[in-house]
Amino acid sequence: GAGVSQSPSNKVTEKGKDVELRCDPISGHTALYWYRQSLGQGLEFLIYFQGNSAPDKSGLPSDRFSAERTGGSVSTLTIQRTQQEDSAVYLCASSLLAGGSGNTIYFGEGSWLTVV
Amino acid sequence: QKEVEQDPGPLSVPEGAIVSLNCTYSNSAFQYFMWYRQYSRKGPELLMYTYSSGNKEDGRFTAQVDKSSKYISLFIRDSQPSDSATYLCAMGSGNTPLVFGKGTRLSVIA
C-alpha cells in the first residue's frame, strides 16, 4: 500500500475484554514498530520487529500486551483483559531498514482505543 | 531523568513569528536526531533529520544539534497558521528504536 495502514481507527471496549489492533506496513519495509501515545505522555515505544530477528519486546508495559508479525508483513498487537489506563492511541510505523540508523520511519494514523 | 526532555507547551505565537522548539537528552550515544510534526488525529510525519552535530536548513525550517550540550533545536521562520501542530523530537543510535520527546503543541495565530 501507499502508506502504513492501521485498523480499527477507533475502538471502544469494555474493561476486561481483549482487543486486537492490526498494522499493515509499507510494502518491502523490513522494520515495524508499535508505539503508544497517551495524552501528555508522548510516544512510548512498545515493540520492534526487524526482519527475521527476534522482536525487541522491551517496551511492553505488562504481560497483557503481545504482538506478532506474520510473514514479515502484517502485525497484530493484542491487549488482553484491557484496563482503563490502556486507553491511548496505538501507532504503528515501518521503515525500510532499522529505524535507529537514520532510515525514515513512516507512521500510520493510529488506532484510538478507549476502555470504558 | 528521562532520556529525552521536551517542554510540552502549549506555545502560542502570532503569524510571522520565529518559533524555537528544543529538546535535551542524556544519552551521549545518540547519533541521529529528528523532528516529527503531528497534526491533530494524524500520525507523526518526519520533518527534519540531522546526523551528529551541526545545522540543517530546509525552507523555513532549521534544525540544530549541539552534541556537546546534548541539546537540539528546531527553528521555524515566518510561522504560518498551517504550522500549528505538535512537534516531536526523536533520536536514536545504531539499530535501536527511536526515543521520542513528549512533543510541544504549537499554535500560530493569524
Side-chain angles (χ1 to χ4, degrees):
Chain A
V4 178
S5 178
Q6 291 188 247
S7 61
S9 53
N10 286 285
K11 176 74 176 178
V12 180
T13 190
E14 290 180 354
K15 179 181 170 181
K17 299 275 176 122
D18 297 352
V19 295
E20 283 190 353
L21 307 176
R22 177 190 164 103
C23 174
D24 208 335
I26 293 172
S27 178
H29 280 195
T30 63
L32 186 146
Y33 311 79
W34 283 99
Y35 284 86
R36 178 169 69 176
Q37 188 173 34
S38 305
L39 192 62
Q41 295 302 313
L43 266 70
E44 176 190 3
F45 165 72
L46 297 177
I47 188 168
Y48 160 50
F49 297 89
Q50 171 57 47
N52 295 320
S53 303
D56 177 353
K57 304 180 183 180
S58 60
L60 295 178
S62 77
D63 59 9
R64 296 188 295 105
F65 288 73
S66 63
E68 289 186 342
R69 187 178 186 192
T70 53
S73 181
V74 171
S75 176
T76 302
L77 177 69
T78 301
I79 309 173
Q80 294 179 308
R81 305 180 301 282
T82 51
Q83 304 295 311
Q84 286 185 326
E85 61 263 27
D86 299 335
S87 297
V89 182
Y90 289 82
L91 288 158
C92 178
S94 71
S95 63
L96 189 59
L97 298 172
S101 60
N103 289 281
T104 301
I105 294 177
Y106 297 88
F107 282 87
E109 303 272 87
S111 288
W112 294 67
L113 175 67
T114 303
V115 181
V116 297
Chain B
Q1 181 190 9
K2 281 191 174 289
E3 272 196 299
V4 179
E5 300 274 6
Q6 182 176 12
D7 186 339
L11 181 62
S12 186
V13 301
E15 184 176 358
I18 296 174
V19 176
S20 172
L21 304 168
N22 312 291
C23 287
T24 59
Y25 63 95
S26 57
N27 189 345
S28 57
F30 287 145
Q31 297 173 295
Y32 308 95
F33 304 91
M34 300 163 187
W35 287 94
Y36 280 80
R37 178 175 61 196
Q38 185 176 25
Y39 290 114
S40 181
R41 295 196 72 89
K42 297 289 187 182
E45 55 179 347
L46 182 66
L47 192 59
M48 297 285 283
Y49 159 62
T50 310
Y51 172 73
S52 196
S53 281
N55 292 2
K56 184 171 184 177
E57 191 173 317
D58 184 1
R60 297 184 294 111
F61 298 89
T62 300
Q64 285 186 351
V65 174
D66 181 349
K67 290 191 75 179
S68 62
S69 302
K70 297 192 181 69
Y71 187 87
I72 70 170
S73 301
L74 177 71
F75 298 96
I76 308 174
R77 289 183 299 281
D78 187 26
S79 55
Q80 303 294 310
S82 57
D83 295 329
S84 298
T86 297
Y87 291 80
L88 301 120
C89 61
M91 44 200 81
S93 61
N95 292 334
T96 57
L98 294 177
V99 179
F100 285 82
K102 287 188 176 184
T104 300
R105 232 173 83 200
L106 171 68
S107 292
V108 180
I109 311 301

